[in-house]
Amino acid sequence: MSDATPIVVNLPDEAATIQLGEDLALALRPGDCLALSGDLGAGKSTLARALLRAIADDEALEVPSPTFTLVQSYELRIPASHFDLYRLGDASELDELGLDEALASGICLVEWPEMAEALLPRDRLTLRLEHEGQGRIARFEGPDAALKRIRRSLAIRKTLDGWGYPAATRRYLTGDASVRAYETIHRADGPATILMDWPRQPEGPAVLDGKPYPKVAHLAEDASPFIAISEYLRSIGLAAPEVLQADVDEGILLLEDFGADGVLDAEGKPIPERYRESVACLAYLHGRPAPRDLPAGPGRLHHIPDFDPVAITMEARLLVDWHLPWKRGNPASEAERQEYHDIWQALISELKTAETNLLLRDFHSPNIIWRAQEQGVKRAGLIDFQDAMIGPTAYDLASIVQDARVDIPAPLAETMMAGYLALRHDQGPFDEAAFLKAFAIMAAQRNCKLAGLWVRLMQRDGKPGYMKHMPRTLAHLATALRHEALAPLRAWCMTAGIALPESGALL
């Protein structure tokens, strides 16, 4: 079936209309124009009100009918404008109401679109509500991409119904730099839960040996690794969310809700106790044997991949592929690329004897939930580990000490390093000098990756917000490059024109 095939939804009562509005709130994106058609009393205003309240996550939000004002605007998670064209004097007046400006950054709901149909966007979504018996039906038509999002949201609703959540309230929680999105699920007779929305993606272009980037870099392609790693972390006494329900094929998981209390204060600054406890989690994890094959639900087994030289190189190459062309306006020459490649092969050789264990891969502030009611290492809840690999233990410590999204004061960073090293020494024989060299190499590798990733997210994926982390990322890179083992990479960066800050703590 083509994604452009109309969607028809049965609405037996007003509650179903409200629920459809809530489901739409999770499907619409900035730039969407939703034209609402139907006779008087068909439920257009009810649906629009439910949709706007869901975006606002505010059941008490005042949503007056814009019949007389013609347009009512809302500064919400997604800016929204609600148009009612019933009293529009002439179609040309639509320009004066600011439809184009509203669509530039948000969504528009347009009731009575027939009054100015020729002036509405050609790629608009249309939703017609029609009476049928004691209820109504809703018929969606529009562009493939928008209908695909609506189908996905309705499929999630159907899955929740099948799991025993027929009247659950869904609210947007967050998205990340990947294709995953998260919702908070509320129901009257139980605690809130978290829904992970992870639709399967088509394979991208080949980047090496006929394989797309996710396969080369060992990024998880479905939810099986998350299920496996979560159960393992819980089994050894760490805090990871319990997987309550899972449909791996559809990419829908229902997870235990750890709450929203993180490791940052109200001003976005690190809370030292919480960062120190997070580092203690790593030492605890690294003191246990690394697993290799883990059960991932009925009939599934997850083999944890190695952070192998190809993956390390591929990630580090993002600096050359994306950051360098953005920074200086022209791509790297073949000679520059070859020299950079050779430098990393030498650095990877230095890692052959490095200590390895399970690395969670994105162990930093957005992925740690503080659980004040717990004790010890269970106070730090771990929520993002689906891309976990076996690799140098120093990688995750570099991720948290050099948090990509937060300025960590030098005294706190030094305390975290000292605390981790002391805990590792307490566990038994530990080669601190070798670990610190691996730390510098892994910190450099991670920040080379991030410096390119921020540009890729902006230029390829339309997510410019991550660029605010670039100065911090380059400062972390400068710090890592102060280790003597990184002298060749430091010289290459200077010659290539990658400006690195002069300052930087020597960790």
Side-chain angles (χ1 to χ4, degrees), residues 450-469:
L450 292 176
L453 180 61
W454 305 146
V455 177
R456 189 176 74 179
L457 285 167
M458 173 181 65
Q459 294 183 342
R460 190 193 72 180
D461 302 334
K463 299 178 179 180
Y466 291 92
M467 288 296 289
K468 66 185 177 184
H469 304 308

Side-chain angles (χ1 to χ4, degrees), residues 127-149:
L127 169 54
R128 182 163 186 81
L129 294 167
E130 300 173 348
H131 293 281
E132 184 172 271
Q134 298 299 311
R136 301 173 179 83
I137 61 168
R139 178 182 294 271
F140 292 91
E141 296 185 77
D144 292 10
L147 291 180
K148 182 178 180 180
R149 285 186 260 119

Side-chain angles (χ1 to χ4, degrees), residues 286-308:
H286 296 159
R288 277 130 185 93
R292 273 296 177 182
D293 294 289
L294 296 172
R300 296 178 186 267
L301 191 68
H302 173 56
H303 178 75
I304 302 176
D306 288 315
F307 198 16
D308 55 48

Side-chain angles (χ1 to χ4, degrees), residues 52-53 55-58 61-62 72-82 101-107:
L52 291 167
R53 286 176 174 172
I55 295 176
D57 193 12
D58 182 359
L61 178 71
E62 287 289 335
Q72 183 74 34
S73 296
Y74 303 85
E75 288 300 320
L76 308 176
R77 171 179 62 85
I78 302 175
S81 294
H82 184 191
E101 292 82 353
L103 286 173
S105 60
I107 63 173

